[in-house]
Every structure is written in C-alpha cells, then in structure tokens.
Amino acid sequence: MFEIIEKHINVDLPLGDPLYYMVCQLPNHLGLADFSCRLANPKNKWDELKTVFELVATGEGNLKKCHFVAFPEAAIPGEYVDSALTFIEERFRPNSVTFFGVDHVPLVEYRELLERYSDDNPEALASVIQDLDSGDIDELPTNCSITAIKENDGRFRVFMQAKSHPYVGEEHLDSQHNLYRGKVFPLFHCQPTSFTFMSLICFDYVYRDLHQSNISAIVDKANHLYFNRRQQLDLLMVLECNPKPEHTAFRDVVNGFYGEYMQYTPGVRNTVTVFCNTSAETSGLPKKEALSFGHSSVFIHKSHKMSSADTPEYLVDNFGGLPVCRLRFGEETRLYYFSLPMFHELDPRTTRTPMKVHGIFTSMNNGWQRIEDKVSNFSGTKS
C-alpha cells in the first residue's frame, strides 16, 4: 500500500472567493507498444493539448481566474512531458495547479524524470531506486501522473506519482501484473491559505488488497489532519481513462467515502471529489462498442443539497440515491469550466452553497469555442 507524503506549497488561493476548475475531457487514441499502452500519434496528441494550454494561458474573460486544470490519465505522450512542463512554467499564471497523466514509459525513464525534479520528489525517487536495485526491471512499463504547480512568486514545482494498481487491460497484457506499482503519493498543503488536496490515477481510487484499501488510507490521513490540526482534505482529483466510470466498484467507494458507514469521517465530509475522464472518442481498446468513456463528474456531500438539473451537457443528481450531490457531464469531447467556494460556506450568516458552471467548450477549427454562454447556478441549503 502506498505512503502519503505531505508537501507544503506556496499557493495563495483567494480567501472568500470561489476556486475555479477546468476539467479537460479529451480523447485518448491508444496503441500497443512493447506490451504497454502508448498514445498512437504523439505529435497529433501534443498539438491538441497545446490548444488547451493556449486557451488557459491566454485566459480570456474569467478564464484568467483558473486555479486547477486537470487532464485525463495517459493524456500526454512521454516524449512531450518536457514540452508540457516548459509551457506551464513559462505561460501559466502564478497560484495555479495542473494535473495530467502520462502514457506508459519505462521505469528507467520515470526515474530520470524524478531525478530532474528530485528536490520535490526525494521519497518517490528513493523508492524507485530501491526497486530498480532489486532486479532487472529497467523497462517495466510505468503509468504515472504529474502535478505541476506555479507558486505565488512564480517558482515552478513538479511532483510525480506512479499508479499503484494497473487497470484490467494492463492486467490482461501481462497476466503476472508485471507493471510498476507506485508507493508514494503526495498530499499538498497550500500556504498561506489552508487548502489541502491530493490526486489519484483512476483505479488507485478503488484499489484494495486483503489488508488495506487506498481510499481508507486517505480517509484515515484526512481524519488525522482533522483531529490533530483541525484541517481536512478539501479536494481529491482523480485522473481517468476509464471505459466504465460508473462501475459499481467506483459507486461503492463513493458511497463509503461520503456515507460514514464504517467510521466517523470528518476529515473528508467536505471534500470535493473531481473525476476527469477521457471522452467517448477514445479509441484503441478492444470491444470499445461495449464501453462508455466520458462522464467526468464532481461530487460533494449531500448536506449541501444542490438543486437538481438536467441539460443536454450535464445533470445534477444523487447518483442513484447515494449520500452525495453529483454534477455529471456528458461523454463528448469538452472542456468544463466551473467554480466552487473554497470552504463551502460563503458567509456565516447564510447556508447557501453555490456551484457554478461558467463555460463549456467544444473543439472547433483547431481551437475551442464556448457553447454554454449562460452561467448555471446550483444552490441549496446546507443542513
């Protein structure tokens, strides 16, 4: 099971104002190479990603307020990681966080990435070096994600984590589960504003063995923060390339995470969970006609009681009776731009909890066109 390592970052989020999120639901076109999943056309994929990067960097209208940008699992080709990080460092605004997944790279290449940013990743680097010393595993496929952060003074920091559990396609590619499993996950504390967040790669959200589950380890850590420091886990970002995003395994974990069925969980009661999935155009997996990519979503505890809504682009519901409010997007290739209050209660004299969808963008003419001009509000009464 993985170890949670706390990282302190100087990201000055606006106290009293909403936090803005961009969820990029883009397609992955996968191919097989050396028994690993790689993006079939890396150059075309990078060209597509650059259009999103440019949109965020230009920041027309309220896009300049964007604090968190999320791309799916395996969204960036391994050979373009440096290009992506350079773009973020040079063009993105301070006080911003970018999450993205990298397609499979050999373990030795992942180690080289960690060495390049060793100041931010000493624990993960030490773990990989120890594993490499244990056997001839240099070419072991590794599925990793990167959290790239522009601090308030412009300092650029890069944090990495490897997936702790492969998805079922990877297990069929190698019946011995012969893919590298990460053991170190960072948990970020923003300073001077107290805001805490983590990211996971898809099945790490649901993975468990006979002794422990990933999500229970996160809940225990969040409860420790609450009881010892009166902090909580504010945001959990899950990056997916998931053909069954609403599978019962995910639904069950969401139910347990917010339901307090097994233990008292004040550390995650107000956690916002964001699932960033690939779109329905994803290709390269067998029997795709039976799969269902897309449907990125946002979860918050039921006590916030967001009003129900159903539009062609999204709906708001309780995920079939779970103790949550869910904002569920469609399956098309889209960029979703929305905001949530940092600490949910905007004013101690009121119980309103608004979520706002500020814009939905569709791909058009090698760029992105806003298709949702009307601001949508989901307000309720916090019980």
Side-chain angles (χ1 to χ4, degrees), residues 333-369:
T333 297
R334 296 284 191 267
L335 308 180
Y336 301 111
Y337 190 52
F338 58 91
S339 67
L340 280 163
M342 185 186 304
F343 299 122
H344 309 298
E345 295 90 357
L346 293 180
D347 187 314
R349 297 163 296 178
T350 182
T351 54
R352 293 176 63 78
T353 310
M355 175 187 288
K356 295 182 180 180
V357 176
H358 293 273
I360 300 176
F361 297 80
T362 184
S363 179
M364 186 174 297
N365 300 324
N366 296 319
W368 296 92
Q369 177 67 44

Side-chain angles (χ1 to χ4, degrees), residues 14-276:
L15 187 62
D17 291 334
L19 298 183
Y20 288 80
Y21 301 78
M22 173 76 82
V23 168
C24 306
Q25 187 169 280
L26 306 175
N28 282 349
H29 301 295
L30 302 171
L32 296 181
D34 300 323
F35 297 99
S36 62
C37 277
R38 301 299 306 274
L39 291 163
N41 194 322
K43 177 62 167 58
N44 286 356
K45 183 62 174 180
W46 173 235
D47 289 342
E48 177 190 45
L49 289 166
K50 277 197 300 185
T51 63
V52 183
F53 279 37
E54 189 67 42
L55 181 74
V56 174
T58 302
E60 294 184 0
N62 66 358
L63 285 176
K64 63 175 60 68
K65 296 182 178 181
C66 190
H67 301 105
F68 298 98
V69 184
F71 295 87
E73 174 187 9
I76 291 187
E79 51 265 55
Y80 286 97
V81 168
D82 287 337
S83 299
L85 292 175
T86 298
F87 192 109
I88 295 168
E89 181 178 13
E90 294 179 352
R91 300 283 307 281
F92 278 25
R93 292 170 178 77
N95 295 315
S96 64
V97 179
T98 305
F99 308 91
F100 61 83
V102 181
D103 67 357
H104 287 186
V105 297
L107 182 57
V108 66
E109 187 175 324
Y110 177 56
R111 184 197 66 189
E112 292 168 359
L113 281 171
L114 289 169
E115 288 174 338
R116 225 168 297 163
Y117 299 95
S118 58
D119 289 347
D120 290 324
N121 301 277
E123 301 87 358
L125 178 58
S127 177
V128 169
I129 290 174
Q130 182 181 28
D131 291 335
L132 285 167
D133 287 343
S134 69
D136 185 15
I137 57 173
D138 286 16
E139 299 303 313
L140 198 65
T142 305
N143 185 357
C144 66
S145 69
I146 292 177
T147 303
I149 298 170
K150 284 283 290 286
E151 293 188 323
N152 53 20
D153 61 356
R155 180 188 176 193
F156 187 56
R157 306 186 65 183
V158 177
F159 300 88
M160 303 178 191
Q161 65 192 70
K163 195 175 189 178
S164 72
H165 179 65
Y167 79 107
V168 66
E170 291 164 333
E171 291 173 352
H172 284 309
L173 291 174
D174 189 334
S175 61
Q176 301 303 313
H177 300 183
N178 196 23
L179 288 110
Y180 183 70
R181 298 193 174 201
K183 303 174 184 67
V184 176
F185 286 19
L187 182 149
F188 299 97
H189 294 278
C190 296
Q191 300 170 303
T193 309
S194 179
F195 186 87
T196 305
F197 65 92
M198 287 187 69
S199 71
L200 296 173
I201 308 174
C202 199
F203 271 69
D204 284 350
Y205 182 76
V206 300
Y207 179 59
R208 68 182 183 185
D209 59 22
L210 292 176
H211 309 289
Q212 191 183 34
S213 77
N214 284 2
I215 205 67
S216 69
I218 292 173
V219 171
D220 289 343
K221 180 66 175 182
N223 279 345
H224 178 80
L225 292 175
Y226 180 84
F227 289 119
N228 288 272
R229 308 181 205 169
R230 284 302 183 264
Q231 295 179 335
Q232 62 182 358
L233 179 63
D234 297 293
L235 170 66
L236 182 61
M237 182 68 69
V238 185
L239 310 182
E240 298 185 299
C241 181
N242 189 351
K244 298 179 180 179
E246 296 173 342
H247 190 278
T248 52
F250 278 81
R251 188 179 184 278
D252 289 346
V253 173
V254 169
N255 195 15
F257 187 81
Y258 288 100
E260 295 190 341
Y261 298 115
M262 301 300 293
Q263 61 177 323
Y264 180 49
T265 58
V268 299
R269 183 184 298 119
N270 288 318
T271 300
V272 175
T273 305
V274 179
F275 291 90
C276 177

